[in-house]
Each structure stands twice: as C-alpha cells, then as structure tokens.
Amino acid sequence: QQGERKLCILGLDVTFIAEIHTAQIRKAAQDQLGFDPESVMVHATQTHSAPPIGHFLLEDDFPLAPEFQWLRLGDSEYSAFATARAIEALRLAEESLRPVQIGVGSAVRDGLAFNRRGVMRDGKVGIPWTYNSVDTPLGPTHYRYLEGPTDPEIGVMCLRDESLQMVALLLHFTCHPVNDFYYRGKGSKPRVSADWPGAWSEALREVHGEACVPLVLNGCCGNVNPWPPFEPGFVPDHRRMGRTLAEISDKILSSLDFHEEAALDWRVKRIPLSLRDLDAKDLAEAEGYLSEHPSPVRVEDDPNRVEWEWYRAAMLVSLDLLRQRDPTPMYEIHALRIGNTAIVGLPGEPFVEGQLQIKIESPTYPTYVAHATSHFAGYIPTREAFQRGGHEVVTSSWSRWAPEALQTIVDESVSLLQEMFNG
C-alpha cells in the first residue's frame, strides 16, 4: 500500500487456477478489503505435484458422467477449500500491513534450468530425459541440440521494516517445478510438493526467520525443465535447487539499496486470441471413435487410468465445442508496478522466448514475468516451434492457440508497460 493505493500478489502452490476461482478471490478482495479487483494478481507456481484449483482438461460442455468428472483434472471440493483459504491468506496479509523499506536486485546463474526441447536428427523435437552413463555411455546421441534459450535471471525484491527485519521477499526465477513430479508413476515419491519454489522459500525462512514471508514468481517456463539433458547421472532434487537459489538470493540481498517510497500502479488488458484450426480428418476420426466408445476406455491393467486414444479424441471434440462457442477467447495480461519494478502476469505456459522479449523491450528494469496467472491457457509456443512439433504444440486441451499467439501477447504486454511507465 502507498497512500490510498494498494495491490496484492497472491501466490498459490498449485498446478493452475481456473478463471471462476480467480474471480471469486478478486470479488472477496473488493467486497471485504476494499481492493480494486484488477490490483489483485493471482499466480500459480504450477508445481506438478499439487492439484489445480478448478479443472483444465475438457470443457464444461463436453459430456461426462458424474463418475468420470475427475477426467477434467480438478476436484470441486478441493477447489472450494483452496479458494477459501486463499481469501483468508489475503485477509491476513492485509491485516499485517506495516511500514517498510524496499530494495530490488537481480543476479544471473546458469546450470539450474535447461531448455527442454531437444532437436533430433530428423529435425523433430522431443523432451530429453535423464540417463546414466552405463546404459547410454555416449549420451543421447539422437539429439543434436536444444531448440531455444532459458532465462538465467534470479530476481529478489526485499521489504524490511523499521527494525531492519525482513518482512517479505518477492522472488523470481523461471523453470518447470517438476523435480518431484519426475518420479510420478515409479511409486517412490507419492506426495504433494511445492517443488523448488517451496524449497527456495523454506531455505530463506531458515536463515531470516519465520516472520519473513518469501513469495515466488515463476516465469514463462513452458519449454524449460530443471535437469540437464546431456549430463549423465543427474538426479532432480527440488531441495538442492532451492538451497542454491537461496544462497544466490542472500548475495543479492547484501548488495541492495533501500527506499522509503515506491509508486504503485496496475493495468489489466484482455485481448482476443485465435484458437488454432482443427484438422478435419482428425476431428472426424475423433468423433467416430467417441461414438463407438462414449464412456472412457480404461487402461487394461490400471483402472485409474484412461487410454490415451480416448483422451485424445475427447480433447479434440472438446476443443471443437469451444471453437463453436467462442473462436477467439479472451486472454488476460496483468501488469503491476512497484516503484521502478514491473511485474507482468501471463496466463498459461508461454515459451521463455516471449518472456525474454518482454524484458528486453520493457521501458523499466527490472521486469519480472509470472506465468500461470488468472486462468488456464495451456502452452503458448513460439511460431517456429510449430514447425518441429513436440508435446507442447500437439493440438490438445493444453495446446490450443494459433501460432501467432505468443507474439501477440508479447506486443500487447510491452504496450501495456509503455502505457504504465511512460504515460
């Protein structure tokens, strides 16, 4: 809060949050605490080892029997519970307001995050996995190189009170939180985890005390993973990653200059984005398959899973229903200003190239980008990525936008920042 203006960043250790629940949180912030609803940024770190708030696979109008609602990948009871707790956290934060000084700084560090799209001999793309030197002594030689960059910036905003006690830390890094999720299906780590964002926060609280609240903004990591594709024997470890980030954060903290004042501002821009065209042959085959198998087809040796062929058909038909209802759904770009620092919130999983372009073209430094804000939007690849294919671009519930979407989002984000900082 600065004068009569106040904003909020709400961080959630969940996979995604659906738009309906973001709206509920913002309405409560307005009605109960006097916030402008557009001043409340709702951000999911997108840890893959925790549920979503709301569902994000298969549209509401896609028919599913009650016993198969879980296929939308969401649970209504949990979503209601988590939304209520988020609102309570916002209330507690508002009650805890106190005078602070603010300092902001960044570092860069390689070796923590890696572009996950490996270009193979035939020019197509796969996601490199970990490997050992016994089974693969020469490494994954079917990969030639990694398609794109990462963002090595580690950002820290520190808020300290009059006694120089750190009240809060706003932290920024960019990487899929999949260290724990990596082991899914192998039975070794059946747990809910906040992954590296939680480990980063925990490591800093161990140093600076429980009174310090570290909040992580995860950047555009749609094509960034936490393991090196060409290093044998690497084992993903969210705690090790969190400790390393915390050590770098403390070096940043030792170099900060602090200020008493920080201008606050916010902007929201909702833009229409075009859904991609569906292949008529693929859609006809999907409709035919579902007519023969209207109920989900279970995996023979695992009744808790559904055959991919059924799921793939269901997603294509679901996307067609969405296209008929709204071929250009709205996409929310959210920008906050805290002093000279800009924070841009982008729904979904944009590729990191988009984030880097926003940072380069931003009228202010530092500029931090938070992905998975506000509502589910799936992967948002670069135009060039569509030529090589791969998981992130295959037409599905998690990849639905036309190839020009990312550049449109980048251009609109930079325009919003220009408006905010240059008038």
Side-chain angles (χ1 to χ4, degrees), residues 108-115 150-154 173-175 179 224-229 231 234 240-241 244-245 248:
V108 291
R109 169 67 184 269
D110 198 11
L112 293 174
F114 309 86
N115 194 283
T150 63
D151 185 345
E153 184 174 22
I154 299 166
F173 190 60
T174 303
C175 186
N179 291 283
V224 179
N225 267 358
W227 55 80
E231 180 182 326
F234 185 87
R240 180 185 64 229
M241 186 173 175
T244 302
L245 287 165
I248 299 168

Side-chain angles (χ1 to χ4, degrees), residues 26 31 56 59 89 95 97 104 141 154 216 232 240 266 285 292 307 357 362-363 378 412:
R26 287 174 170 169
D31 295 347
F56 64 94
E59 298 298 315
E95 289 179 354
L97 285 170
V104 186
T141 56
I154 299 166
V216 174
R240 180 185 64 229
W266 53 87
E285 290 177 353
E292 295 178 14
E307 290 283 0
Q357 186 178 348
S362 171
E412 294 286 357

Side-chain angles (χ1 to χ4, degrees), residues 114-119 125 145-152 174 219-225 346 349-362 369 371 379-386 388 392-393 403 405-411 413-414:
F114 309 86
N115 194 283
R116 76 179 198 179
R117 284 176 54 87
V119 180
V125 158
Y145 63 94
L146 300 181
E147 181 185 63
T150 63
D151 185 345
T174 303
C220 297
C221 59
N223 55 343
V224 179
N225 267 358
L346 300 178
E349 301 178 72
F351 274 23
V352 70
E353 289 92 333
Q355 170 172 297
L356 294 171
Q357 186 178 348
I358 290 171
K359 287 185 173 186
I360 292 297
E361 296 183 9
S362 171
V369 184
H371 86 327
Y379 290 110
I380 310 173
T382 62
R383 180 185 289 274
E384 293 74 21
F386 283 87
R388 294 194 177 98
E392 301 89 353
V393 304
L406 182 61
Q407 191 59 54
T408 299
I409 291 167
V410 169
D411 293 342
S413 297
V414 172

